[in-house]
Short mmCIF file of all heavy atoms in Angstrom, two decimals:
data_model
loop_
_atom_site.label_atom_id
_atom_site.label_comp_id
_atom_site.label_asym_id
_atom_site.label_seq_id
_atom_site.Cartn_x
_atom_site.Cartn_y
_atom_site.Cartn_z
N ILE A 1 11.07 14.57 -4.88
CA ILE A 1 10.92 15.97 -4.73
C ILE A 1 11.34 16.34 -3.24
O ILE A 1 11.53 17.51 -2.92
CB ILE A 1 9.57 16.53 -4.97
CG1 ILE A 1 8.53 15.86 -4.07
CG2 ILE A 1 9.20 16.46 -6.36
CD1 ILE A 1 7.15 16.45 -4.25
N GLY A 2 11.62 15.34 -2.45
CA GLY A 2 12.22 15.48 -1.12
C GLY A 2 11.22 15.88 -0.05
O GLY A 2 11.65 16.69 0.88
N VAL A 3 10.05 15.55 -0.07
CA VAL A 3 9.11 15.96 1.01
C VAL A 3 8.41 14.68 1.61
O VAL A 3 8.10 13.76 0.86
CB VAL A 3 7.99 16.92 0.44
CG1 VAL A 3 8.55 18.13 0.03
CG2 VAL A 3 7.22 16.27 -0.60
N ALA A 4 8.21 14.70 2.84
CA ALA A 4 7.34 13.68 3.55
C ALA A 4 7.60 12.23 3.09
O ALA A 4 6.55 11.57 2.80
CB ALA A 4 5.87 14.06 3.45
N ARG A 5 8.79 11.81 3.14
CA ARG A 5 9.06 10.43 2.66
C ARG A 5 8.46 9.37 3.57
O ARG A 5 7.92 8.41 3.17
CB ARG A 5 10.54 10.24 2.44
CG ARG A 5 11.07 11.12 1.42
CD ARG A 5 12.60 10.80 1.14
NE ARG A 5 13.27 10.92 2.36
CZ ARG A 5 14.18 11.84 2.60
NH1 ARG A 5 14.56 12.63 1.73
NH2 ARG A 5 14.84 11.99 3.74
N ILE A 6 8.63 9.58 4.89
CA ILE A 6 8.22 8.55 5.78
C ILE A 6 6.65 8.30 5.80
O ILE A 6 6.22 7.13 5.69
CB ILE A 6 8.81 8.74 7.19
CG1 ILE A 6 10.25 8.50 7.16
CG2 ILE A 6 8.16 7.80 8.19
CD1 ILE A 6 10.94 8.83 8.36
N PRO A 7 5.88 9.45 5.90
CA PRO A 7 4.45 9.23 5.81
C PRO A 7 3.97 8.67 4.37
O PRO A 7 3.06 7.85 4.38
CB PRO A 7 3.91 10.62 6.01
CG PRO A 7 4.96 11.42 6.71
CD PRO A 7 6.26 10.80 6.27
N ALA A 8 4.65 9.05 3.35
CA ALA A 8 4.27 8.55 2.12
C ALA A 8 4.61 7.03 1.93
O ALA A 8 3.77 6.29 1.43
CB ALA A 8 5.04 9.28 1.00
N ASP A 9 5.73 6.59 2.49
CA ASP A 9 6.12 5.13 2.49
C ASP A 9 5.16 4.45 3.41
O ASP A 9 4.67 3.26 3.06
CB ASP A 9 7.51 4.94 3.03
CG ASP A 9 8.43 5.32 2.02
OD1 ASP A 9 8.28 5.01 0.78
OD2 ASP A 9 9.50 5.86 2.30
N LEU A 10 4.73 4.96 4.57
CA LEU A 10 3.80 4.32 5.47
C LEU A 10 2.45 4.14 4.76
O LEU A 10 1.88 3.03 4.84
CB LEU A 10 3.61 5.13 6.79
CG LEU A 10 2.78 4.55 7.80
CD1 LEU A 10 3.22 3.21 8.20
CD2 LEU A 10 2.67 5.50 9.02
N CYS A 11 1.91 5.15 4.16
CA CYS A 11 0.75 5.15 3.46
C CYS A 11 0.76 4.14 2.38
O CYS A 11 -0.18 3.35 1.95
CB CYS A 11 0.27 6.53 2.99
SG CYS A 11 -0.19 7.56 4.28
N GLY A 12 1.79 4.16 1.60
CA GLY A 12 1.89 3.28 0.43
C GLY A 12 2.05 1.71 0.80
O GLY A 12 1.30 0.93 0.22
N ALA A 13 2.69 1.46 1.93
CA ALA A 13 2.71 0.12 2.38
C ALA A 13 1.31 -0.28 2.90
O ALA A 13 0.90 -1.44 2.69
CB ALA A 13 3.73 -0.02 3.54
N ALA A 14 0.65 0.63 3.55
CA ALA A 14 -0.66 0.21 4.19
C ALA A 14 -1.67 0.01 3.06
O ALA A 14 -2.45 -0.88 3.10
CB ALA A 14 -1.17 1.37 5.08
N VAL A 15 -1.61 0.91 2.07
CA VAL A 15 -2.57 0.75 0.98
C VAL A 15 -2.29 -0.49 0.16
O VAL A 15 -3.20 -1.27 -0.25
CB VAL A 15 -2.57 1.98 0.11
CG1 VAL A 15 -3.22 1.69 -1.26
CG2 VAL A 15 -3.18 3.17 0.72
N MET A 16 -1.03 -0.87 -0.09
CA MET A 16 -0.71 -1.99 -0.94
C MET A 16 -1.08 -3.29 -0.18
O MET A 16 -1.67 -4.31 -0.73
CB MET A 16 0.73 -2.01 -1.38
CG MET A 16 0.98 -0.81 -2.35
SD MET A 16 2.66 -0.68 -2.77
CE MET A 16 2.66 -1.83 -4.19
N ILE A 17 -0.77 -3.42 1.13
CA ILE A 17 -1.04 -4.58 1.81
C ILE A 17 -2.51 -4.62 2.18
O ILE A 17 -3.19 -5.67 2.01
CB ILE A 17 -0.33 -4.60 3.23
CG1 ILE A 17 1.26 -4.65 3.09
CG2 ILE A 17 -0.73 -5.72 4.13
CD1 ILE A 17 1.75 -5.82 2.41
N GLY A 18 -3.13 -3.59 2.36
CA GLY A 18 -4.61 -3.53 2.54
C GLY A 18 -5.35 -3.79 1.35
O GLY A 18 -6.35 -4.50 1.38
N TRP A 19 -4.83 -3.38 0.14
CA TRP A 19 -5.47 -3.74 -1.10
C TRP A 19 -5.46 -5.21 -1.32
O TRP A 19 -6.38 -5.92 -1.89
CB TRP A 19 -4.80 -2.99 -2.26
CG TRP A 19 -5.73 -2.71 -3.35
CD1 TRP A 19 -5.52 -3.25 -4.63
CD2 TRP A 19 -6.89 -1.93 -3.46
NE1 TRP A 19 -6.56 -2.77 -5.43
CE2 TRP A 19 -7.37 -1.91 -4.78
CE3 TRP A 19 -7.54 -1.23 -2.49
CZ2 TRP A 19 -8.57 -1.33 -5.13
CZ3 TRP A 19 -8.70 -0.50 -2.90
CH2 TRP A 19 -9.16 -0.59 -4.21
N ALA A 20 -4.37 -5.85 -0.96
CA ALA A 20 -4.28 -7.39 -1.14
C ALA A 20 -5.31 -7.96 -0.16
O ALA A 20 -5.88 -9.05 -0.62
CB ALA A 20 -2.86 -7.84 -0.76
N VAL A 21 -5.43 -7.47 1.02
CA VAL A 21 -6.42 -8.08 1.99
C VAL A 21 -7.83 -7.82 1.38
O VAL A 21 -8.76 -8.67 1.48
CB VAL A 21 -6.25 -7.54 3.35
CG1 VAL A 21 -7.40 -8.01 4.25
CG2 VAL A 21 -4.95 -8.03 3.87
N LEU A 22 -8.10 -6.59 0.93
CA LEU A 22 -9.46 -6.29 0.44
C LEU A 22 -9.85 -7.08 -0.71
O LEU A 22 -11.03 -7.46 -0.93
CB LEU A 22 -9.49 -4.80 -0.03
CG LEU A 22 -10.70 -4.22 -0.43
CD1 LEU A 22 -11.77 -4.18 0.71
CD2 LEU A 22 -10.56 -2.84 -0.92
N TRP A 23 -8.79 -7.44 -1.49
CA TRP A 23 -9.07 -8.37 -2.74
C TRP A 23 -9.34 -9.83 -2.28
O TRP A 23 -9.36 -10.73 -3.17
CB TRP A 23 -8.05 -8.25 -3.76
CG TRP A 23 -8.08 -7.20 -4.71
CD1 TRP A 23 -8.81 -5.97 -4.50
CD2 TRP A 23 -7.65 -7.07 -6.08
NE1 TRP A 23 -8.70 -5.20 -5.60
CE2 TRP A 23 -7.99 -5.82 -6.60
CE3 TRP A 23 -6.94 -8.03 -6.81
CZ2 TRP A 23 -7.67 -5.50 -7.80
CZ3 TRP A 23 -6.62 -7.69 -8.05
CH2 TRP A 23 -7.05 -6.38 -8.58
N GLY A 24 -9.33 -10.11 -0.87
CA GLY A 24 -9.58 -11.37 -0.52
C GLY A 24 -8.31 -12.29 -0.67
O GLY A 24 -8.44 -13.54 -0.67
N LEU A 25 -7.18 -11.65 -0.64
CA LEU A 25 -5.92 -12.35 -0.74
C LEU A 25 -5.88 -13.27 -2.00
O LEU A 25 -5.12 -14.18 -2.02
CB LEU A 25 -5.70 -13.24 0.53
CG LEU A 25 -5.59 -12.44 1.82
CD1 LEU A 25 -5.45 -13.39 2.97
CD2 LEU A 25 -4.45 -11.40 1.72
N GLY A 26 -6.66 -12.86 -2.96
CA GLY A 26 -6.64 -13.53 -4.31
C GLY A 26 -5.46 -13.00 -5.22
O GLY A 26 -4.35 -12.97 -4.82
N ILE A 27 -5.90 -12.46 -6.28
CA ILE A 27 -4.93 -11.89 -7.20
C ILE A 27 -4.28 -10.70 -6.64
O ILE A 27 -3.29 -10.26 -7.10
CB ILE A 27 -5.43 -11.71 -8.65
CG1 ILE A 27 -6.57 -10.77 -8.63
CG2 ILE A 27 -5.83 -13.06 -9.26
CD1 ILE A 27 -6.98 -10.27 -10.00
N GLY A 28 -4.91 -9.98 -5.71
CA GLY A 28 -4.49 -8.79 -5.07
C GLY A 28 -3.19 -9.12 -4.31
O GLY A 28 -2.35 -8.28 -3.97
N SER A 29 -2.87 -10.44 -4.04
CA SER A 29 -1.61 -10.76 -3.29
C SER A 29 -0.38 -10.43 -4.13
O SER A 29 0.64 -10.42 -3.62
CB SER A 29 -1.67 -12.27 -2.97
OG SER A 29 -2.65 -12.59 -2.09
N ALA A 30 -0.69 -10.27 -5.45
CA ALA A 30 0.51 -9.84 -6.32
C ALA A 30 1.14 -8.51 -5.78
O ALA A 30 2.24 -8.18 -6.21
CB ALA A 30 0.10 -9.84 -7.73
#
């Protein structure tokens, strides 16, 4: 839709990497 791409990518990367760490680097590492 063409809005706020950089903040959305930053949040997406942080959540996905953070979720892997939160899962204890187990299956969340996927």
Side-chain angles (χ1 to χ4, degrees):
I1 62 175
V3 296
R5 292 184 306 244
I6 292 175
D9 284 322
L10 182 62
C11 290
V15 168
M16 292 176 86
I17 299 294
W19 206 244
V21 171
L22 184 67
W23 276 30
L25 300 175
I27 62 172
S29 296

